[in-house]
Amino acid sequence: EDKVVQSPLSLVVHEGDTVTLNCSYEVTNFRSLLWYKQEKKAPTFLFMLTSSGIEKKSGRLSSILDKKELFSILNITATQTGDSAVYLCAGPRGTSGTYKYIFGTGTRLKVLA
Amino acid sequence: EAGVTQFPSHSVIEKGQTVTLRCDPISGHDNLYWYRRVMGKEIKFLLHFVKESKQDESGMPNNRFLAERTGGTYSTLKVQPAELEDSGVYFCASSHRRATNEKLFFGSGTQLSVL
């Protein structure tokens, strides 16, 4: 059965710390892996990773995919209280023309001032 | 550009009643998805529309759930009759094209509470 597993489930850090969030997946017909940030309402898109070993960066956030090990990490450096959110990892699966996204349970990050 | 909008944001109903959730995707997005998050669990796929056609409804829990997307624009998800275990947050998401990797744009969700 396809699955996406995230760890840790929850994390509490202080401002300025660096955190690494993990996502492992077993998805048939793997296409890409997506990271989302969910604060209060709608999950917002962070990264889409399709190729192994290529780091994607956006400000203090970065992510990388290891297709061989079926693994991705999301790094956040110099964390701020505004980074507090649930971070979701998702893997689309399916064949051409029809695919759905399998989500992990998320990692709840709380950054303390 | 308007994002994905969902209505209502929160609905509280009694067991046995009917509820209809609405989703307006981003204009021009052919793909429309419904997802549900039950407390403490992961976001789970319910179904996928491509325009007005149901592409994949393998995640629909049972026949009390009915989704439609008449005209390929907005979609509704009706639960009839609602049961306690239907409580959760129902998310709608849309994306632009079919056959390539496309990121999902999510609505803010409808929090459904069945009492």
Side-chain angles (χ1 to χ4, degrees):
Chain A
E1 183 183 336
D2 292 344
K3 61 181 179 182
V4 174
V5 179
Q6 292 187 247
S7 65
L9 293 178
S10 179
L11 197 55
V12 180
V13 301
H14 287 94
E15 271 192 319
D17 288 347
T18 292
V19 297
T20 297
L21 310 183
N22 305 299
C23 175
S24 64
Y25 61 90
E26 291 177 23
V27 176
T28 53
N29 298 316
F30 175 81
R31 303 170 68 87
S32 59
L33 189 136
L34 286 76
W35 283 96
Y36 284 86
K37 176 183 181 182
Q38 184 178 18
E39 295 176 85
K40 292 188 177 173
K41 292 284 187 177
T44 53
F45 173 80
L46 293 176
F47 298 111
M48 175 183 282
L49 304 160
T50 55
S51 302
S52 237
I54 297 176
E55 185 183 52
K56 293 225 173 169
K57 283 182 71 76
S58 176
R60 295 175 295 101
L61 277 65
S62 64
S63 184
I64 197 161
L65 177 70
D66 185 332
K67 274 183 169 178
K68 184 180 174 187
E69 299 297 328
L70 306 182
F71 193 80
S72 175
I73 60 172
L74 174 69
N75 277 318
I76 308 175
T77 58
T79 52
Q80 302 171 357
T81 53
D83 296 327
S84 297
V86 176
Y87 290 83
L88 299 165
C89 170
R93 65 151 292 210
T95 54
S96 176
T98 173
Y99 53 94
K100 61 189 183 188
Y101 293 78
I102 310 296
F103 282 84
T105 51
T107 293
R108 183 175 296 277
L109 173 66
K110 186 167 179 65
V111 182
L112 304 175
Chain B
E1 175 186 271
V4 177
T5 57
Q6 291 187 246
F7 180 84
S9 57
H10 197 165
S11 180
V12 181
I13 60 172
E14 291 186 333
K15 176 183 168 180
Q17 291 184 327
T18 297
V19 63
T20 301
L21 314 180
R22 173 171 169 144
C23 169
D24 286 77
I26 292 173
S27 177
H29 280 193
D30 289 343
N31 289 307
L32 187 149
Y33 299 81
W34 283 99
Y35 283 85
R36 176 173 74 174
R37 183 169 194 152
V38 173
M39 188 181 294
K41 305 268 180 121
E42 68 272 23
I43 295 176
K44 283 209 163 177
F45 170 84
L46 296 178
L47 90 160
H48 170 207
F49 283 100
V50 177
K51 296 186 180 178
E52 67 276 8
S53 300
K54 288 178 188 174
Q55 201 71 20
D56 182 348
E57 52 184 327
S58 61
M60 294 287 261
N62 50 61
N63 59 9
R64 294 185 294 102
F65 288 75
L66 175 65
E68 294 180 320
R69 192 182 181 193
T70 308
T73 54
Y74 72 90
S75 174
T76 58
L77 179 64
K78 182 192 285 189
V79 185
Q80 180 182 29
E83 299 289 341
L84 300 179
E85 65 264 25
D86 301 332
S87 297
V89 181
Y90 289 78
F91 287 103
C92 175
S94 69
S95 68
H96 184 51
R97 291 176 295 176
R98 285 182 61 183
T100 59
N101 290 329
E102 285 292 338
K103 64 186 183 188
L104 295 180
F105 293 85
F106 280 86
S108 297
T110 294
Q111 171 79 57
L112 175 64
S113 301
V114 183
L115 307 179

